[in-house]
Amino acid sequence: KMLDDSLEPGWLSEEVKTGTTIIAIEFDGGVVLGSDSRVSAGETVVNRVMNKLSLLHDKIYCALSGSAADAQTIAEMVNYQLDVHSIEVGEDPQVRSAATLVKNISYKYKEELSAHLIVAGWDKRGGGQVYVTLNGLLSRQPFAVGGSGSSYVYGFVDAEYRKAMSKEDCQQFVVNTLSLAMSRDGSSGGVAYLVTIDEKGAEEKCILGNELPTFYDQ
Amino acid sequence: MEKRFMDSQIKGVSTGTTILAVTFNGGVIIGSDSRASIGGYYVSSKTINKLIQVHDRIFCCIAGSLADAQAVTKAAKFQISFHSIQMESPPLVKAAASVLKELCYNNKEELQAGFITAGWDRKKGPQVYTVALGGMLLSQPFTIGGSGSTYIYGYADAKYKPDMSKEECLQFATNALALAMGRDNVSGGVAHLVVITEEGVEHIVIPGDKLPKFHDE
């Protein structure tokens, strides 16, 4: 791979992946989701400002990783299915319902798809919740990391996570984790997107590359 | 992941491992886990010592194929002691690292092992050197290596500070090893730590149940 003699750029032949870092964490009263913004096709960065935090409903978002096309399609399908479902039940859908819809697609088409979505949001029955749907399983966790950059920060999140963090602590935790992963993973980078969801709604935020926290030797 | 699996099938026992070395104010700590595995499925040793003493104040630790690593360190140990006798003084850490680098670079086609060399010498004090797979030699204030190191890049970047005290450094190294061993299935067992200073060498072994525990344990 290092001595690549190809005369044409990677994006002409390589699949577009969101090789990525995504993270979601619960706090008492809501969730915080975070992602980087790099989309790569082989060694080319085809989009350096993509928002990988996709809306599924007013207070439910999902974070995309893996194949960009697969992940976007799943998110769009679930967005439609959730709209129909919420009209049928006459109220805002539960986060678990959104996660189940994502899981159903991921599991049924697991041989053809290669995308991993983390679903997180707020509903009045369960408060803030984070669900992972890797490979078609459905599991609720206090926090979750995913994408190629997540390998580098497993140690950091294991060490730094504490139960019952406040909303501001969670936001800082997410920003620190993203910054560390983006500086080590070649497939993650650009800006950091944050979404904070609580009873009042969803608040989106973008942190530019030069405003991210820096650590030793940066 | 597939490539590593195939390589160790060909080469036999691999150290799929977590190793690290960190300088602090007055010395250096070198550490590793103690698991040796075959193909990531079978643990062939739970208590292997991956910290090899190549001279009084110089240690190195190995990642990659265990056979390659043992052969190289044996040759390096001999060359370093011969060099030290010729020079009539203890070898420089950089000299020891260079010996390893020469062996790795000249045999890069056959070998599959990377090294971290750490030690103390009179000229430059505590130092850490990495010799990567192809034979590149690099000096750093701290370094991590082996398959388990992937999981602690974020932690090490966030938590390392230059000029730590010995206690802070021990805590940093122990935590890093524990976190990596908790996530990497081919790292585990006990944590071996060696503290090297001008005064001497101190070997600390921390059994699995005494390692620091984190939120989900």
Side-chain angles (χ1 to χ4, degrees), chain B residues 87-133:
Chain B
M87 303 297 285
E88 290 179 8
S89 73
L92 296 178
V93 187
K94 188 163 188 173
S98 292
V99 166
L100 282 166
K101 182 262 291 172
E102 281 298 297
L103 289 164
C104 286
Y105 182 68
N106 292 333
N107 298 298
K108 61 154 65 165
E109 308 303 325
E110 286 89 17
L111 289 177
Q112 240 233 354
F115 299 86
I116 294 178
T117 311
W120 183 95
D121 65 43
R122 185 163 304 247
K123 189 171 169 191
K124 278 196 178 163
Q127 300 145 74
V128 166
Y129 292 89
T130 326
V131 178
L133 223 55

Side-chain angles (χ1 to χ4, degrees), chain B:
Chain B
M1 277 308 255
E2 264 88 324
K3 183 170 192 306
R4 209 180 302 139
F5 173 84
M6 274 177 45
D7 286 335
S8 58
Q9 292 252 285
I10 296 165
K11 294 232 171 202
V13 180
S14 147
T15 58
T17 230
T18 309
I19 50 178
L20 49 75
V22 195
T23 52
F24 63 90
N25 195 356
V28 58
I29 293 183
I30 188 165
S32 81
D33 71 309
S34 71
R35 179 174 291 182
S37 57
I38 301 185
Y41 287 96
Y42 174 66
V43 176
S44 51
S45 171
K46 291 184 271 189
T47 53
I48 191 170
N49 188 359
K50 303 176 193 177
L51 304 177
I52 320 263
Q53 184 161 22
V54 294
H55 209 266
D56 294 347
R57 299 273 187 287
I58 307 177
F59 274 71
C60 72
C61 50
I62 50 186
S65 154
L66 193 49
D68 287 345
Q70 285 189 339
V72 171
T73 47
K74 208 166 155 185
K77 210 168 162 176
F78 165 76
Q79 286 188 26
I80 293 164
S81 44
F82 191 66
H83 168 75
S84 162
I85 290 167
Q86 280 187 313
M87 303 297 285
E88 290 179 8
S89 73
L92 296 178
V93 187
K94 188 163 188 173
S98 292
V99 166
L100 282 166
K101 182 262 291 172
E102 281 298 297
L103 289 164
C104 286
Y105 182 68
N106 292 333
N107 298 298
K108 61 154 65 165
E109 308 303 325
E110 286 89 17
L111 289 177
Q112 240 233 354
F115 299 86
I116 294 178
T117 311
W120 183 95
D121 65 43
R122 185 163 304 247
K123 189 171 169 191
K124 278 196 178 163
Q127 300 145 74
V128 166
Y129 292 89
T130 326
V131 178
L133 223 55
M136 171 188 80
L137 176 63
L138 199 57
S139 169
Q140 294 174 297
F142 77 96
T143 190
I144 55 181
S147 58
S149 68
T150 322
Y151 305 105
I152 49 173
Y153 271 106
Y155 181 79
D157 283 344
K159 294 291 167 176
Y160 174 76
K161 291 170 294 170
D163 277 333
M164 286 188 276
S165 72
K166 177 176 144 185
E167 288 66 34
E168 287 176 315
C169 194
L170 261 175
Q171 194 57 53
F172 172 74
T174 314
N175 284 348
L177 281 174
L179 287 163
M181 283 156 66
R183 285 290 183 181
D184 184 25
N185 64 328
V186 289
S187 297
V190 308
H192 287 288
L193 292 159
V194 172
V195 185
I196 309 170
T197 56
E198 179 176 7
E199 284 79 49
V201 161
E202 186 194 339
H203 195 142
I204 305 172
V205 176
I206 307 178
D209 58 346
K210 302 272 191 310
L211 284 170
K213 294 202 189 315
F214 300 93
H215 69 96
D216 56 3
E217 295 169 294

Side-chain angles (χ1 to χ4, degrees), chain A residues 56 60 78 82 94-106 117-120 130-133 137-139:
Chain A
L56 294 179
I60 309 176
V78 173
L82 263 187
Q94 290 182 57
V95 185
R96 200 183 178 89
S97 312
T100 305
L101 290 170
V102 173
K103 179 266 290 174
N104 287 344
I105 301 172
S106 302
L117 273 66
I118 297 178
V119 179
V130 170
Y131 291 87
V132 288
T133 62
L137 74 76
L138 178 63
S139 172

